[in-house]
Amino acid sequence: MPGTNRLKEAFKESYNVIGMAGLFALSAALLNPVPLLAGLVAETCYLLFAPDSKWYMDRLSARYDKEVIARREKLKQEVGPTLTPAVLARFARLETMRNQIGSQTFEGKNWFREVLRKLDYLMEKFLLFASKQVQFQTYLRSVMDETDPGTMVVPPPVPSPLRKVVRRTDPNGEVDEDWILATVATIQQRYSDEIDGIDALLKKDENLHNQAVLDKRKEVLLRRRQYVSQIGEILTNLNHQLHLMEDTFGLINDEIRARSPEQVLADIEDVVDQTDNLTETLQEVSPFDQMPVASGAGKLYNVSEH
């Protein structure tokens, strides 16, 4: 298991704990320390050799892989209800390709195990990114409703074509980029209209208290306008990243039979790095409620030393 202290794990194995407890109980029952002393000698030999044996490393690796699958299934159950059927179908295709790749005859090869674990990492991130995509789409729609001209304090100017925003969804189940751009532009324009109205009020109102309140409102609206722009950029990036993950699964499925292990690992590592970068950006804007795997997947999933 990557990043695991094998000596500590070997010591905590149930068969080891039960064995030592049994020998301790036997010594206590017989009032004879010999069984316990013999057990301590055996325990020392076990801890010296077992943690570094191929058998034990394979055991830890198999256990880790089961934990990854269980964690992904739990994540799918948690975020699945928030995703569209089309996005879930896209994820199902990733699972199919992952199984196809995993069925290749490279069992026991460290590089192959590393490829599979990086693919597992990308699958978890696909679910998390898709969940964030839904959250950001919902956020933009809510701000559109909030900044509707009828609710604004300062009436906006004559409506422009940008105000006629239609939500379109492409066949892949995502809101298209035209919708994102138009929605962000409309919201920003509405904020700009209200800021212009505040500037007009500041010129007329000489009351210092009122001016302080208006200045603060202007500051808040400027920050909100900037945040909406940032969310729009990230939402577009999420769309591209999800497609990149899907393309990468297809590429690895193509290459695994014909390209060198180094080339396959290099291709998937590039996508993992991009995924980590986007994760860091998302954490700054809207932290994940849960992070099933840490960033820095290259180190986390490196199995060459295990």
Side-chain angles (χ1 to χ4, degrees):
M1 180 174 173
T4 296
N5 185 321
R6 294 194 295 271
L7 180 64
K8 182 179 179 181
E9 290 297 315
F11 180 79
K12 294 192 303 182
E13 289 286 355
S14 58
Y15 56 78
N16 185 60
V17 174
I18 292 173
M20 289 302 297
L23 290 172
F24 180 83
L26 180 61
S27 290
L30 297 177
L31 299 178
N32 187 338
V34 172
L36 180 58
L37 292 175
L40 290 175
V41 172
E43 176 75 1
T44 300
C45 294
Y46 166 72
L47 293 178
L48 281 174
F49 298 104
D52 293 323
S53 66
K54 184 178 183 303
W55 165 80
Y56 192 68
M57 286 190 285
D58 289 343
R59 176 183 174 86
L60 283 181
S61 182
R63 180 192 301 169
Y64 178 73
D65 291 339
K66 289 180 181 179
E67 291 173 354
V68 168
I69 293 173
R71 186 175 62 223
R72 185 167 66 238
E73 286 301 314
K74 181 175 183 292
L75 179 61
K76 186 164 61 173
Q77 291 176 6
E78 291 175 351
V79 306
T82 69
L83 306 179
T84 66
V87 171
L88 290 175
R90 293 166 64 187
F91 181 76
R93 287 194 291 272
L94 294 185
E95 289 183 308
T96 299
M97 282 190 282
R98 165 62 175 81
N99 292 334
Q100 291 174 351
I101 295 169
S103 66
Q104 299 302 307
T105 57
F106 300 108
E107 190 67 30
K109 301 291 186 181
N110 280 340
W111 71 267
F112 184 60
R113 184 179 297 164
E114 187 172 352
V115 166
L116 295 180
R117 286 179 175 171
K118 289 181 186 296
L119 291 175
D120 288 335
Y121 173 81
L122 292 178
M123 289 178 70
E124 291 187 357
K125 283 305 178 78
F126 185 95
L127 288 172
L128 286 170
F129 287 175
S131 176
K132 282 298 178 185
Q133 186 183 50
V134 172
Q135 291 180 28
F136 292 153
Q137 290 168 2
T138 302
Y139 165 76
L140 286 182
R141 287 194 291 271
S142 70
V143 177
M144 275 286 288
D145 293 339
E146 175 193 341
T147 59
D148 182 89
T151 66
M152 305 292 275
V153 175
V154 180
V158 178
S160 69
L162 283 176
R163 298 183 190 285
K164 299 177 181 179
V165 179
V166 179
R167 182 175 185 269
R168 294 196 298 272
T169 304
D170 73 11
N172 292 313
E174 68 189 32
V175 175
D176 64 26
E177 290 186 33
D178 288 342
W179 180 88
I180 297 171
L181 292 172
T183 300
V184 169
T186 299
I187 294 172
Q188 288 183 319
Q189 184 59 53
R190 290 175 179 176
Y191 281 141
S192 296
D193 292 342
E194 185 139 345
I195 289 170
D196 289 343
I198 291 174
D199 285 337
L201 290 175
L202 283 169
K203 294 178 180 178
K204 298 176 182 178
D205 198 330
E206 296 182 356
N207 184 290
L208 295 180
H209 176 73
N210 289 342
Q211 288 184 346
V213 172
L214 290 172
D215 281 334
K216 187 61 180 178
R217 281 194 60 217
K218 180 178 178 180
E219 177 190 341
V220 169
L221 291 173
L222 286 170
R223 291 173 61 185
R224 294 197 68 185
R225 186 174 65 182
Q226 180 181 4
Y227 185 75
V228 164
S229 176
Q230 187 177 15
I231 291 298
E233 292 173 359
I234 293 175
L235 186 52
T236 299
N237 200 331
L238 279 170
N239 285 345
H240 294 323
Q241 187 69 29
L242 291 176
H243 284 306
L244 175 60
M245 290 179 179
E246 293 170 290
D247 293 338
T248 300
F249 271 69
L251 177 64
I252 300 303
N253 199 21
D254 296 338
E255 290 185 337
I256 200 74
R257 304 166 184 82
R259 303 299 294 274
S260 68
E262 293 78 13
Q263 182 62 57
V264 175
L265 282 170
D267 287 337
I268 193 171
E269 187 65 39
D270 286 343
V271 180
V272 167
D273 288 342
Q274 291 218 6
T275 301
D276 287 341
N277 291 336
L278 181 54
T279 298
E280 292 176 3
T281 300
L282 288 171
Q283 288 287 73
E284 294 174 0
V285 176
S286 177
F288 289 105
D289 296 328
Q290 57 177 331
M291 290 295 293
V293 289
S295 61
K299 294 181 179 178
L300 180 69
Y301 282 76
N302 187 351
V303 297
S304 59
E305 61 189 58
H306 300 279

